Every structure is written in structure tokens, then in C-alpha cells.
Amino acid sequence: MNGLLRGNALLALAAAAVWGGGDFSGGMGVKAAGGSVRAALRVVMLSHVTSFAVLVAIARVRGDVFPHGALLAWALAAGVAAGLSLTCFYIALSRGAMGASAAVSGLLAAAIPAALTMVLEGSPGMRPLLGFAVAGLAIWLIAAGPASAAAGDRGRETAVLATIAGVGFGCYFVALKMAGPAGLVWPMATTRIGSLIVCSLMFLGLRLSEGKSEADSEFRLNRRAVGWALATALLDTSGNLLFLAATRAGRLDVASVLASLYPASTILLAALALGEWPSRRQAIGMATAVIAVVLIAM
């Protein structure tokens, strides 16, 4: 049992490391494409089409059975949540401080599966409950930092987008866990169907609401944006497969909370590549977030 939990934790931490790189790539792709909702949808769709094609090819070679019934429904629901969440998240990353957006979404993504597990399986004990309280403090420190306050309405909009993304990621974690019994590759591939459907509908709605000549330039991705989107496909898909493996190897709350450390690598990449160093208050908030994750996972 202890060995199983260690494997579960290691897979979740590996997912966190890879996801953080994927989030950085997605944010950079949307920024390269203009930072609009249309750009975010285009990056997500290109990333997920590429991911879907690769996953289907792998599933066919392996001879895996396509999921049916409730397992298929959970996978599609996970995809819908992923499509909506990633669109909001990539816009937040491209418009505001990457570290703060990633940290807020990561804490909320951890809290929802942990809370659900507590409802279904009882109280996790005093230490995890203390971790939830510390997580709330960390969110306040990060979201109320000087950088967010100085950004005015745009900063508040970015915070709202990051919060919506975090809630969606939490729902995604739960739905993907429920689809897990169908295997490893097909559940991940079918989530892409759900995300592509919802993103395509949003894309079409925006397309119809704009004049064709006005919208065409914004719907095209430049070469840099395409490169970032393909990098996102590789990293995000790898992280998802690692997370699904972690949920199959142990508890959902352990996997989701540890996987939600993904902001750490996003923050590191943003600091190294963009010189986007957090303020002192935000740095304290991010350190507090690490403590919260550890308390919840213990």
C-alpha cells in the first residue's frame, strides 16, 4: 500500500512538472497570436486536434477498446471542462502575470477534488483541513498582490479568468478519474472530442458575430503561435496521461493536489524566459501555496 501511494505521488508530481511547461507554452502561444479569446480558442483547438490524432493512432496500434456508456460520458464531460478551462487559462496567462494566474488556478484545481473526496469518504483529518485554510490564505496573498491591484480592471478580469479556469480544472480532474476504468489512452483521446466540440462551437459563435474581413486576420495563427501550440500539445498530453495513471494508482485527492503543483514550473519558466519575477507579497503567497499542498497531501 505504501509503495502504491509513493508511485501515485511520483506520477502526480511528474504530471505537475510537465503540465507547467504546457501551460507556459499555451500562454505564450496565445500571446503570440494576439491574446484574444479567438486566439486562445485557436491555440487550444490546434493543440487538441494534434493530441487527438496521436492518441487515436496509439490506441489503434495497442488494440484498446473504445469506451462506452458512463465511461464515455465522463470522458466527454472532462473534455468540455478542459476546453472551457484552458481557453480561460491561456487568456489569463497571456494577459496577466503568469505566476499569479497559474497559482490561483492550481489551488482551486486541488481544492475541488479534495473537497469531493472528503464528502464521499469522510473528513481527511485535521492536517488536510489546515491545508485548505492555508490554501485560502495563499490565494488571497497572490490575488491581492500589488501587481494585480496596479492592473486595474484588466487585473481583475485576469483574476476572474484564472478562477474560472481553476474551478474547471478541478471538475476535469474528477471527471477524468471517473473515466479512468476505460483504460489509459482512449479516455484521454475522448476528452479531446469533448474539448474540440465546445471550442468549435465557441469559435463558430465568434466567427458569426464578427464581420468576415475583420475576423479573418485574428483567426489565423502565425508561425510562432503554431510552434507554441504544438509544444503545448506534446506537454499537455503527456501531463494528462501521467495524471490519469496517477489516479489509477491511488487516491484522487492525493493525485489532484500534487498535480496542482504545476504552477511551480510555470512560474519558473516565466521568471527565466520573461523576467517576470513576482512581488514580495506574491512570493510569500506562492510559498504558502506549497505549504498548503504539502499539508493537504500528507
Side-chain angles (χ1 to χ4, degrees), residues 91-280:
I91 295 171
L93 290 179
S94 68
R95 292 185 179 182
M98 281 196 168
S101 297
V104 169
S105 65
L107 287 170
L108 290 173
I112 291 174
L116 179 63
T117 303
M118 183 171 62
V119 170
L120 296 177
E121 302 181 12
S123 175
M126 287 303 299
R127 184 179 290 169
L129 289 175
L130 177 60
F132 295 149
V134 175
L137 174 62
I139 292 175
W140 179 79
L141 286 169
I142 295 166
S148 296
D153 291 338
R154 192 175 181 85
R156 286 189 289 273
E157 179 183 332
T158 299
V160 169
L161 287 169
T163 300
I164 294 172
V167 172
F169 288 148
C171 296
Y172 169 75
F173 286 167
V174 173
L176 191 59
K177 164 68 174 178
M178 299 301 293
L184 190 62
V185 179
W186 268 125
M188 194 63 254
T190 49
T191 64
R192 296 313 193 203
I193 297 175
S195 65
L196 286 169
I197 289 173
V198 70
C199 288
S200 296
L201 290 174
M202 293 170 66
F203 184 92
L204 179 61
L206 288 171
R207 180 85 178 193
L208 293 176
S209 68
E210 298 280 355
K212 186 177 185 301
S213 61
E214 179 182 351
D216 276 349
S217 63
E218 292 195 54
F219 276 103
R220 296 192 184 97
L221 289 180
N222 56 46
R223 185 174 299 179
R224 286 186 61 199
V226 170
W228 284 117
L230 294 179
T232 302
L234 173 63
L235 294 168
D236 184 58
T237 302
S238 300
N240 278 296
L241 291 173
L242 286 166
F243 175 77
L244 186 54
T247 64
R248 288 164 60 88
R251 289 175 57 94
L252 171 62
D253 50 1
V254 172
S256 60
V257 170
L258 292 179
S260 294
L261 278 169
Y262 65 83
S265 52
T266 306
I267 291 168
L268 178 61
L269 287 170
L272 294 176
L274 305 177
E276 191 181 276
W277 300 99
S279 67
R280 182 177 179 181

